[in-house]
Amino acid sequence: MRWCGVIALVCLLGCCLRSSSVADATGAGCIAGKVRVLKTNESVPFALISIDSIPVAQADSIGEFHIHGVAPGLYAICAQEDGFVLRTLDSVLVTADSCTCVDLHMEPEVIEVDGIPISITPSDLLHIVDTQAQRQLTSETIRNLPAATIYDILRQRGGVVVR
């Protein structure tokens, strides 16, 4: 049991050191951060991250991003996602052998359709785990389905294509 604690501590220390420095021996730096909604602080998943107008990364499912191998200098960092106003941070300083942390706070974009204001929040977006849920059919469920063959059963399931 004590070894589990030691291993967990070593892993945690490794993660902290990895995020605070760059393992790149060339003297490059990195940029890491999180994309959030301005007023609610919710994560904005899968936002496109650009450095000086060049797309270089995409935030993950919880809005975090890491860009390694960035040459030292001043950069404009931009986050872009459907339903949000483009967010740019100018003059982000990247130094050699270190990681610059930035948080990009995006404002939901409000559009009007027939005079009705519409905006999107992260809770309205489709989450990747929702699309990968596994569904199981029990033998009891199969017996009660109005189907004669396995193909009839599959045709009744959402997201299944039978050819």
Side-chain angles (χ1 to χ4, degrees), residues 102-116:
V102 296
D103 276 344
L104 295 158
H105 292 88
M106 300 183 78
E107 210 172 329
E109 183 176 30
V110 179
I111 60 171
E112 284 196 25
V113 177
D114 295 330
I116 301 170

Side-chain angles (χ1 to χ4, degrees), residues 108-129:
E109 183 176 30
V110 179
I111 60 171
E112 284 196 25
V113 177
D114 295 330
I116 301 170
I118 299 173
S119 66
I120 296 175
T121 63
S123 58
D124 296 330
L125 300 174
L126 182 63
H127 298 284
I128 194 74
V129 291

Side-chain angles (χ1 to χ4, degrees), residues 9-30:
L9 182 61
V10 169
C11 289
L12 179 64
L13 181 61
C15 289
C16 290
L17 289 174
R18 188 174 143 234
S19 66
S20 64
S21 66
V22 177
D24 190 356
T26 63
C30 81

Side-chain angles (χ1 to χ4, degrees), residues 142-156:
I142 292 172
R143 272 195 288 287
N144 293 329
L145 286 173
T149 68
I150 188 70
Y151 293 109
D152 294 336
I153 294 170
L154 291 175
R155 282 189 192 101
Q156 295 175 14

